[in-house]
Amino acid sequence: MKNILTIQDISCFGKCSLTIALPIISAMGVETVILPTAVLSTHTMFKNFTVKDLTDQLIPITDHWKSEGIRFDAIYTGYLGSAEEIEIAKRIFDEFGGDDTMIFIDPVMADNGKLYPAFDMEYAKLNAGLCGKADIIVPNLTEACFMTDTEYREDYDRAYIDELLEKLAALGAKKVILTGIAFSEGKTGVYGLDTVTGEKIVYENNRIDAAYHGTGDLFSSVSVGALVQGVSLTDAFKLAADYTARTIEETVKNPDKPWYGVDFETTIPELVAGIGKLVK
Ligand code: PXL
C-alpha cells in the first residue's frame, strides 16, 4: 500500500487541512501519516479560535521516524503556520525526499487577491522557496501572484496565465498547476505545465457559485491520493476537480449549508468509485 505523509494543522472543528486529508486520502486506499503543525479549536474563519503551536514537536517526531527507517511515497504540505515551519518542512523534504518520494505542495496562504490574516510578504517569499523543492505545486491565482511578484488580475487572459506558469516554473518546481482558472464564463478549472515534458494540463468544469472553506484542501488531498497511485496528471486533476465540484453541489443542497466546510462525508462513496476506475 502506498503511503503519504501530510504536514499541516489540525483544526478540531471546521473541516479543513488534516480533518480533510486524513479521511479523504485513507478512503482512496492510501495510508495517511500525519504531522500536525498546530492544534486549533476551529479553523481561522471562526472568531476567537485557540491555537497550540506544535513546531517544537516536528523535529523530535521526524527524528524518531528516521530511527525507525520509515519512508514515504509522497509528502504533501498544506497550511503551515510560520516561517519556522517552512524551514522545518524543507529539512523534512531533504531527509525523507528522493527519487521515490513525490513532493506535493499546496502553498496555502491567500485567496481572492489577499493574504490570509496570519501571513505577510516575507512568508510568501519563503513559501516560494519551499515550492522550489517540489515535484508538484498547486497554488491558486492569488498565491501564484504573491510568490512571483506578479500583479493580481481577475480579468486575466491566456498570455498572462502562461507567463505566470513560466514564473512559477522558474521557482524550481517540476509541475506547476494553477487552480481555479478558466477562460470561459461559468467555468473553473486547472491550468498547468509539466516543465520536464512540456505537457499542458488543462481541465475545466462548471463553476458553482458558492464559496466554502476547505475546498482547496479537498482538491489537493484527492490529487495527491490519485497521483501517488500512478494516475496520470490529467486524470488525477480531473478526478479532484470533478469531486470537489460534486461535493460543493451536495453541500449547497443541505438545508443547513454549513458555511464553515463542505459535506464531503456524503460524497466519499463517489470518490471511492472514481479512484477505483483509475487504479486497478
Ligand atoms: O483550508 C486552509 C486552512 C487550513 N488550516 C487553517 C486555516 C485554513 C484557511 O484559512 O485557517 C487553520
Side-chain angles (χ1 to χ4, degrees):
M1 184 182 288
K2 299 284 184 186
N3 73 358
I4 297 176
L5 164 62
T6 180
I7 310 174
Q8 37 189 334
D9 71 277
I10 187 148
S11 294
C12 300
F13 184 88
K15 299 201 262 192
C16 70
S17 41
L18 284 184
T19 57
I20 286 190
L22 194 48
I24 290 293
I25 296 172
S26 298
M28 295 176 80
V30 174
E31 181 182 349
T32 316
V33 181
I34 62 167
L35 186 57
T37 54
V39 186
L40 289 82
S41 53
T42 62
H43 62 56
T44 59
M45 298 297 136
F46 284 79
K47 290 203 182 78
N48 305 323
F49 57 88
T50 67
V51 189
K52 171 70 181 166
D53 183 80
L54 297 177
T55 306
D56 67 352
Q57 296 300 304
L58 305 182
I59 299 292
I61 292 172
T62 50
D63 279 352
H64 177 217
W65 290 343
K66 254 225 117 82
S67 73
E68 291 286 333
I70 293 168
R71 61 161 299 281
F72 307 107
D73 295 299
I75 304 177
Y76 154 39
T77 62
Y79 187 103
L80 299 172
S82 64
E84 195 183 349
E85 285 186 352
I86 290 194
E87 287 310 318
I88 293 175
K90 277 191 190 153
R91 176 169 160 181
I92 294 171
F93 292 166
D94 289 341
E95 285 185 355
F96 290 88
D99 289 345
D100 298 331
T101 303
M102 174 178 64
I103 295 184
F104 182 104
I105 300 183
D106 183 354
V108 180
M109 64 179 158
D111 207 358
N112 301 315
K114 289 201 198 83
L115 285 165
Y116 293 147
F119 304 127
D120 58 18
M121 270 315 290
E122 192 208 352
Y123 183 86
K125 287 280 144 229
L126 290 170
N127 230 345
L130 185 69
C131 283
K133 290 187 161 285
D135 292 296
I136 305 186
I137 59 172
V138 290
N140 61 30
L141 183 60
T142 309
E143 289 155 351
C145 288
F146 276 112
M147 290 196 293
T148 59
D149 286 323
T150 305
E151 187 198 349
Y152 173 77
R153 275 177 46 191
E154 274 167 8
D155 63 332
Y156 52 77
D157 57 15
R158 211 171 280 267
Y160 170 89
I161 296 294
D162 278 331
E163 198 183 322
L164 194 51
L165 282 185
E166 292 299 335
K167 288 190 199 167
L168 286 171
L171 298 178
K174 297 191 190 79
K175 290 155 192 154
V176 295
I177 316 291
L178 279 166
T179 61
I181 301 292
F183 297 102
S184 29
E185 218 28 59
K187 301 273 178 187
T188 186
V190 294
Y191 193 79
L193 175 70
D194 181 335
T195 65
V196 180
T197 62
E199 181 199 357
K200 276 264 165 78
I201 295 103
V202 183
Y203 182 65
E204 287 188 3
N205 57 1
N206 288 335
R207 185 188 169 83
I208 303 158
D209 208 13
Y212 288 102
H213 206 68
T215 51
D217 302 333
L218 195 64
F219 175 87
S220 289
S221 298
V222 175
S223 304
V224 70
L227 290 166
V228 79
Q229 297 186 79
V231 174
S232 72
L233 284 172
T234 302
D235 285 347
F237 288 117
K238 181 174 182 309
L239 179 74
D242 287 344
Y243 176 67
T244 305
R246 268 288 302 129
T247 304
I248 295 172
E249 202 174 67
E250 281 303 305
T251 311
V252 172
K253 275 193 220 156
N254 178 345
D256 299 331
K257 291 192 188 49
W259 61 268
Y260 55 84
V262 282
D263 288 342
F264 66 84
E265 298 86 348
T266 316
T267 52
I268 279 187
E270 294 175 38
L271 176 62
V272 172
I275 189 70
K277 286 190 199 128
L278 297 169
V279 179
K280 295 289 168 239

